[in-house]
Each structure stands twice: as structure tokens, then as C-alpha cells.
Amino acid sequence: MSTHRSGGTRAAALPSAARGPFAVLGRVLPSGRSLAVAFAILAAGIGGYAAARETSLFSVRTVEIHGAPPRAAERVERAVEPLAGESLLSLDAADVDRRLAGLRDVTLLDVDRAFPSTLRVTVSAERPAAVLRRGPDSWVISERGRLLREVSGARPRALARIWIGPVGVPGDGELLEQKEAFLPALALGRVLAADRKFYDRVGEAHTAGEEVVLVLRSHIEVRLGSLDDVPLKVAVATRILEALPPDASGGYLDVSVPERAAAKIDSQLSS
């Protein structure tokens, strides 16, 4: 019995390298149909975005202000009020920043678009820290030494005073230049940031050379010294003041070197 095997050529799969690079690309690259679908989806997305920009679907109806005290928040809100009705899709941080350019004490930190109609604006606003006095004239000064506005009529009693001589005063929104005004303003700003209760006890601030002296409403001088370690100095001063009799008045409390603080109240020296 014989077995017949038919002749012919046997087909075999060749390695990819043997078929050339174009065959590999053909497997990796998407097909023409896939590309057509992808481009159609992209075009539809672009068209939808353009249409949304022109409709009132995402127009600004609510503005939320974050990071500013109430009065500053009101000014920020008034500044960005013209953006009401604009599309959230067309607004960016530059648009908001241009609206806030007139508010010298406000710095824009972030703009967030909360769809469908809320614009969230986060700012950093300088707080009033002192009233600058020169004769009969008064100005409100920020915690960073910036002149916020001139005061006419009743002066804010909650703010500490800084008295200066007949020197020049910058315009609204500009930083103080005179050391006798700038250093106390910065000191009061740091005290305010460190401890509001302690700040409320301060009536005046002035310089003594390169150092700052705070005068409490009880007429006790707190010799703050330089502007280094103000929170620590405030904490030390607070502990010493708590140890004094309630009716203590006058004298001084030196915390310029907080590790060696000293007080002289009513001619009694303690450390």
C-alpha cells in the first residue's frame, strides 16, 4: 500500500522584519474609518464649545468672593460686577485681574469657574492696621504699610495711631516711604496677624531709632525692637502683662530680646 502526497508549495508565516516596516505601520496606525470618526467627534466638540460661548447657558449669574474681609469683599464684588452676563467659557484670570487693577490693596490669587453660572474669585486683601496722623490730617494704613485712604471726620478708634511730623505722604494705594511711619505700620500689621486681642490693647506705635515701640492703652510701653520674631515677642509680652496687677499703668516692658524680657512698672523691676 502506498501513500500519495500531493506536491505543491507550503505556505508559512514570515517574521515581521521579513515583511518590511510598512506592514508594521499598517497594524499600528488607525484605519481611515477610525480617523474619520475621530475628526468628526473633534469637530463636533469644537463646534459645541463655540456655540456654548455664544449662548447664555454658561453666563455669569453669581460671583463668590473668597479670602477677603467683608468690606474688601464688597469692593471686589463691585469691581467684577460688569462681568455679570459674560460667558464662563470666555472668562479667564486676566479678565478678572484687569477689573481689580484699581484696588491697590487687593491681590488676585485664583479664578475658578463653577459651572453652570458661578464665578469664584479668591483674593488676598490687606487689612487696615493703623491711622497715620499728621497734624489735623489722617489716613488709614494697611498691615503692609500701604496708604489706603484719607480719613475725614471721625477716625476709626479701633485702629492704633502713628504720629508723624511735617513729612510727605504718598498717594492712595502707595507704600509709605518714611521710616518713622513705615516701620510702625509693619509692626502693627504683624501684631494684628499674631494676636488680635493684644493688638486691641495698642493705642500708638512709633520708632526709637531702628526699633519700634508700642504704647498700650494702659500707657505701658512695649519695646518691640526689630520686626523679627514678632509673634514670639507678642506671646512673651502677653504672659508678662497677665502677671501684672489689673490696675498697672505706665512704665515699660522690653521684649526686644524675648529670651531676656524685662518689665519696669510703677518703679518695680521684674524679669
Side-chain angles (χ1 to χ4, degrees):
M1 182 177 179
S2 63
T3 301
H4 176 73
R5 297 181 180 179
S6 61
T9 306
R10 184 179 173 182
L14 298 176
S16 297
R19 291 183 290 163
F22 295 105
V24 178
L25 290 176
R27 286 194 309 174
V28 175
L29 293 176
S31 65
R33 182 178 180 181
S34 298
L35 288 174
V37 172
F39 282 123
I41 294 174
L42 178 62
I46 294 174
Y49 178 79
R53 285 170 60 97
E54 301 301 325
T55 67
S56 60
L57 179 62
F58 298 121
S59 60
V60 177
R61 294 184 178 87
T62 304
V63 177
E64 295 180 359
I65 310 299
H66 299 273
R71 289 188 179 181
E74 290 176 3
R75 292 187 290 117
V76 173
E77 188 173 356
R78 287 195 297 269
V80 300
E81 188 175 4
L83 297 178
E86 296 287 336
S87 173
L88 281 175
L89 295 171
S90 63
L91 287 176
D92 57 22
D95 297 315
V96 178
D97 202 26
R98 281 193 291 270
R99 294 290 176 181
L100 300 182
L103 307 180
R104 300 287 185 87
D105 61 319
V106 173
T107 302
L108 179 65
L109 297 181
D110 185 49
V111 173
D112 180 34
R113 294 174 289 187
F115 292 97
S117 58
T118 299
L119 181 67
R120 293 176 180 157
V121 179
T122 303
V123 300
S124 172
E126 299 179 31
R127 295 174 294 180
V131 172
L132 185 68
R133 296 291 310 274
R134 186 189 63 183
D137 301 321
S138 303
W139 298 266
V140 174
I141 307 300
S142 82
E143 60 189 319
R144 298 177 189 170
R146 191 183 307 277
L147 194 149
L148 299 181
R149 63 184 183 277
E150 187 171 2
V151 180
S152 58
R155 304 174 184 88
R157 294 189 58 82
L159 298 178
R161 268 50 175 170
I162 301 173
W163 292 87
I164 59 173
V167 297
V169 175
D172 290 358
E174 298 180 2
L175 290 174
L176 298 172
E177 297 177 354
Q178 300 293 333
K179 181 178 64 177
E180 63 180 297
F182 185 65
L183 289 181
L186 289 185
L188 289 169
R190 296 182 186 184
V191 170
L192 177 61
D195 189 331
R196 178 67 199 229
K197 290 184 178 180
F198 185 89
Y199 172 85
D200 289 340
R201 304 174 74 166
V202 181
E204 299 178 14
H206 62 265
T207 56
E210 297 294 328
E211 301 185 338
V212 176
V213 176
L214 308 178
V215 182
L216 304 186
R217 299 183 190 276
S218 60
H219 306 292
I220 297 174
E221 286 190 357
V222 177
R223 299 176 182 176
L224 205 61
S226 69
L227 299 186
D228 298 328
D229 302 322
V230 170
L232 175 60
K233 294 174 181 178
V234 168
V236 172
T238 299
R239 293 193 63 179
I240 295 176
L241 290 171
E242 289 173 348
L244 297 177
D247 59 349
S249 178
Y252 72 85
L253 195 164
D254 192 335
V255 292
S256 57
V257 182
E259 297 83 0
R260 296 193 299 273
K264 184 179 181 182
I265 309 296
D266 294 334
S267 301
Q268 295 179 1
L269 182 64
S270 62
S271 63

